[in-house]
Amino acid sequence: MTMKNDNPYVFVVGCPRSGTTLLQRMLDHHPQLAVANDTHFIPRALQRAAPHLEPGAAAGTSVPLDPVLVEALVTYRRFHRLGLDEEEARRLASSSRDYADWIGRLYGCFAERAVKPFAGEKTPDYVRHLPLLHGLFPRARSLHIIRDGRDVALSTLQWAGPGKGPGRWDLWGTDPVGACALWWRHQVETGRRDARSFPPRLYREVRYGRLVAEPEGELRRIASFLQLDYDDAMA
């Protein structure tokens, strides 16, 4: 069994409106696993403070911590969703080897607050950042949930808008349905392409339809992938 210093233990990713929140809540009900919801900060802080280091981080190069990077993360607008205050995060940074080690300590604290050994993260957009996540956390597992693109497009039409999701694209103004379809394809294909080089033990695709139709069976398979015992609370 992986030890708690392997946090973050799992990432839940996928095109938004594909069931990522449903899967996050199911996993968060496992007695050994706490899964945070939509924090976004792992790549965002790096992009704000040291974008030139991102390619190296994706290749596995250590990212040094400096005050600018620390401040970029703790002041990011969604950092509070992890439930840690800024001063606690800064204190952890002062004793961390590098960026990945610091993030691992933050998720370790998140797990401890939930009285669980393991912690993960659900941020749908991380489906476009799998190489970076794998480079920073080479033992972390990724669950990529995929839903029928037609259903995702219909749901996205009610959720997106100018400046949000596919609403950022010029196509939205003339063909919102087409924009939603292309947005779904871009997210799914990017995640699948980038995960081709991952060992099978680190990447698994989850079909939304199967998860809804057969929750216990699919959750048992997911638990096995995560090397955790299945628990009825998940369903």
Side-chain angles (χ1 to χ4, degrees):
M1 179 65 73
T2 306
M3 300 303 291
K4 61 168 42 176
N5 62 358
D6 276 337
N7 288 317
Y9 191 73
V10 61
F11 292 104
V12 176
V13 305
C15 181
R17 319 307 290 178
S18 293
T20 55
T21 299
L22 173 66
L23 181 55
Q24 178 258 332
R25 291 176 178 174
M26 289 172 159
L27 295 175
D28 190 58
H29 274 74
H30 193 284
Q32 290 187 287
L33 181 63
V35 183
N37 185 35
D38 277 10
T39 69
H40 291 260
F41 61 71
I42 296 174
R44 297 287 176 88
L46 197 57
Q47 290 163 357
R48 290 170 65 184
H52 61 287
L53 296 179
E54 191 170 357
T61 302
S62 174
V63 175
L65 267 183
D66 63 33
V68 176
L69 182 53
V70 172
E71 289 305 303
L73 190 148
V74 299
T75 60
Y76 182 67
R77 61 189 178 87
R78 294 195 181 190
F79 173 70
H80 71 277
R81 293 188 177 187
L82 203 59
L84 306 179
D85 63 56
E86 294 182 15
E87 289 310 309
E88 183 176 10
R90 291 187 181 94
R91 178 181 59 79
L92 291 170
S94 67
S95 59
S96 297
R97 296 187 307 274
D98 55 19
Y99 188 55
D101 183 51
W102 182 39
I103 297 296
R105 290 171 185 250
L106 293 175
Y107 277 91
C109 286
F110 176 74
E112 288 177 4
R113 291 199 171 193
V115 197
K116 298 180 179 182
F118 305 111
E121 166 69 34
K122 183 276 288 189
T123 292
D125 287 348
Y126 281 3
V127 74
R128 294 183 285 106
H129 297 282
L130 290 178
L132 174 64
L133 298 174
H134 182 64
L136 290 170
F137 314 107
R139 291 185 295 275
R141 295 158 174 81
S142 294
L143 287 167
H144 180 186
I145 187 166
I146 300 174
R147 185 182 183 187
D148 189 303
R150 295 165 295 185
D151 292 330
V152 173
L154 290 172
S155 180
T156 302
L157 283 171
Q158 303 173 36
W159 167 77
K164 184 177 183 181
R168 299 186 183 96
W169 293 0
D170 292 340
L171 183 62
W172 177 264
T174 57
D175 185 5
V177 174
C180 290
L182 289 172
W183 186 66
W184 171 84
R185 188 174 72 178
H186 169 63
Q187 304 264 359
V188 172
E189 289 185 350
T190 298
R192 285 181 146 181
R193 179 200 67 212
D194 290 343
R196 284 176 190 154
S197 62
F198 293 8
R201 70 180 185 280
L202 296 181
Y203 174 83
R204 178 183 173 88
E205 292 179 1
V206 178
R207 295 291 176 170
Y208 173 84
R210 188 180 303 155
L211 181 64
V212 172
E214 189 196 346
E216 181 177 336
E218 187 62 12
L219 286 168
R220 285 185 179 276
R221 288 184 282 270
I222 291 171
S224 177
F225 166 75
L226 295 175
Q227 295 186 319
L228 298 173
D229 293 331
Y230 170 76
D231 192 282
D232 287 337
M234 297 173 71

